Structure formats: C-alpha cells, structure tokens
Amino acid sequence: PQIVLGLVVNADGFPVAYELFAGNTFEGHTLIPVIKAFKKRHKIAALTVVADAAMISMGNILALAKNGIQYIVGARMGNISQTRAVQIRSGLAETDGATVRVKTDLGDLVADFSLKRYRKDKRDLEQQIEKAEKVIAHPAKAKRTKFVKVGDGAYQLHTELVEKAKGLLGIKGYYTNLGAETSEQAIVTQYHGLWHVEQAFRVAKSDLAMRPIFHFKADAIKVHVLICFMALAVSKYMEIKTGASLRRIVTSLQHVTDATLI
C-alpha cells in the first residue's frame, strides 16, 4: 500500500504532528488540510508555514492567505518572466549573500545570491548544454532534453532558455506574505531550516524502517505510522539532548549489556 504522509516539525526538527492521505493524493493538495488540522487541534492563532517549491501553487497561496496563515514558500525561479529575472539579477549584482525583494501576485518574492550555489549551478548548466549539443549532433539518438527545441524541422539549441538560465545562476527565491518588519535574511534563514524536514523523513524511512508497509487494512497502517512517529520523536529528543546522530546513539546503546531503570 502507498500513502502520502504530511509531517510537521518545529525549528529544531522535532516532529509535532502528521496527517495521512491516500497514495494517489497530489502532495500540493495536502498542505492546507495539514496546517488547518494542526491549528485547530492545538488552538493556534498564528503561525508561519515554511514549505518547499513542490507546494507552491496559486491555489495554495490564496488558501493560506484566506486562512490568515503566514508563509515562506520556495519559488520556481525558472517560471518567472525574463523581465523579472533581469530585475532580480540587477538588484543582486552577483554579490555573495545579497538579497532583493519585489512585489508579485503570490506575495513578496525574496531572492538571494550565493557564490557557492553559483558555481554548482554553472557546472550543472554546462553539463546540460553539453548534453543538448550531443542530442543536436546525433538526432537519431534524441531523448527529451532541456535546452533543445525543434525549429525548421531540426533540433536546435534553445538559446533564449539558456540565456535565462545563465541569468539565474546562483539565485534562489522565496515567496512570502510576511511584512517588511521581517528582514530578507530572516526569511532566507527560516527557509534553509527545511533540511530538518528532509532529515526527519530520511530517518523515518531508513533508521526506523517506516517503509515498506506490509499492512493492508487502514487501522493497521495508521498504527504502524503512529509507532514510527513516536519513535521519531524519541529519536529526535535524544539527538537534541546529546548532540549526537541517531546512528551514533544506537551504536553506543548496543554496547550496554546491563542497565538499572528507576
């Protein structure tokens, strides 16, 4: 059986809530139900949702705003207009750590520039261009490839798309409805904390063996996930208290042969 798990963690990565959905549920449709259920259950008046670009849609943004929920959501920079891309690039001036803020229909778009990210993006872009050129040179072996378009009955390099990608090297964006009292750097810092969510899922799937699920009845699946969630909470608590990773903690505990419990 396949399921979709919506997991909520706090700033320390400690799991505080989760919701289960059928396996064929689009993850972009899970954000609002999870947050509304969490707010109702704990009687929370205000909170800020931080989520990655997979959750971004006009519907989700409007729903968050309608429910009075503040948000910081990753932006798909490749979808912005060329005019806006040039505006952002100009504002950042390729300065490491620089930020810029512009108004959009999805809220303020905060963008930052990272020299380290620039180097990685540049390497990736060069590899994609090289792959596109190989496809153009050998059309018989053509596969779906970025930066390749069909023109005059032949494959061509999509130069406009390449130039736009070059203009966005090293840049990452975030949509938010937080006011000017929240600095651009604070917004970027909050978003970068999403690695806690990724780590929580990684621990749940690997160390705690949440998947695969061998149960077939809904109640059994729910109990299985609940046990894993409780184990995740205990694991994260130990990590926070000790400063050690779960695997290191488990390895240390395996050497304990005798203990006194009070």
Side-chain angles (χ1 to χ4, degrees):
Q2 292 186 351
I3 61 170
V4 174
L5 174 66
L7 179 66
V8 181
V9 304
N10 67 9
D12 293 322
F14 188 84
V16 294
Y18 72 93
E19 297 287 337
L20 291 179
F21 301 87
N24 61 353
T25 306
F26 170 53
E27 66 175 10
H29 295 162
T30 64
L31 179 62
I32 303 302
V34 169
I35 298 305
K36 290 181 71 174
F38 182 70
K39 284 188 66 179
K40 182 179 180 180
R41 183 181 304 120
H42 299 286
K43 298 180 175 60
I44 297 174
L47 55 78
T48 299
V49 174
V50 184
D52 64 21
M55 296 296 182
I56 184 63
S57 70
M58 180 64 79
N60 273 343
I61 294 298
L62 292 176
L64 286 169
K66 181 180 178 181
N67 287 278
I69 301 173
Q70 296 174 319
Y71 59 84
I72 301 172
V73 189
R76 294 190 177 96
M77 297 301 288
N79 292 344
I80 67 174
S81 67
Q82 180 65 23
T83 302
R84 178 144 288 160
V86 171
Q87 177 189 7
I88 291 173
R89 189 77 184 183
S90 175
L92 293 172
E94 294 191 2
T95 303
D96 192 33
T99 60
V100 67
R101 191 171 190 149
V102 296
K103 297 287 184 181
T104 76
D105 294 336
L106 295 176
D108 289 353
L109 173 57
V110 174
D112 75 316
F113 180 86
S114 165
L115 194 57
K116 181 179 179 181
R117 189 189 303 130
Y118 174 87
R119 296 191 185 104
K120 180 183 182 303
D121 290 349
K122 188 172 183 292
R123 287 195 302 271
D124 293 344
L125 178 60
E126 290 171 347
Q127 291 174 357
Q128 290 172 332
I129 293 174
E130 183 180 349
K131 184 178 179 181
E133 290 173 340
K134 288 181 180 178
V135 169
I136 295 170
H138 304 283
K141 299 180 181 180
K143 295 182 180 179
R144 185 177 179 181
T145 308
K146 193 175 182 181
F147 302 133
V148 172
K149 67 177 180 178
V150 178
D152 298 327
Y155 289 114
Q156 300 176 355
L157 186 67
H158 201 316
T159 54
E160 297 87 353
L161 200 58
V162 170
E163 288 305 312
K164 183 179 180 180
K166 286 181 178 179
L168 293 172
L169 292 176
I171 297 175
K172 190 167 180 59
Y174 323 87
Y175 288 110
T176 182
N177 62 347
L178 291 170
E181 66 277 4
T182 304
S183 69
E184 288 81 10
Q185 192 55 53
I187 290 169
V188 173
T189 301
Q190 286 294 322
Y191 185 86
H192 286 177
L194 274 180
W195 69 270
H196 286 300
V197 182
E198 297 167 357
Q199 182 198 46
F201 270 108
R202 188 164 57 250
V203 170
K205 292 175 181 177
S206 57
D207 298 273
L208 303 181
M210 177 178 282
R211 67 176 190 180
I213 295 175
F214 296 104
H215 308 290
F216 295 91
K217 293 184 178 180
D219 286 346
I221 292 173
K222 290 177 181 177
V223 170
H224 172 82
V225 175
L226 174 60
I227 292 172
C228 290
F229 178 81
M230 294 168 64
L232 178 62
V234 172
S235 302
K236 193 61 189 179
Y237 179 81
M238 290 192 294
E239 287 185 340
I240 292 172
K241 287 295 183 181
T242 63
S245 68
L246 176 59
R247 292 191 178 184
R248 183 178 176 184
I249 293 171
V250 171
T251 300
S252 299
L253 290 175
Q254 287 174 340
H255 294 290
V256 178
T257 57
D258 187 21
T260 301
L261 300 179
I262 300 176

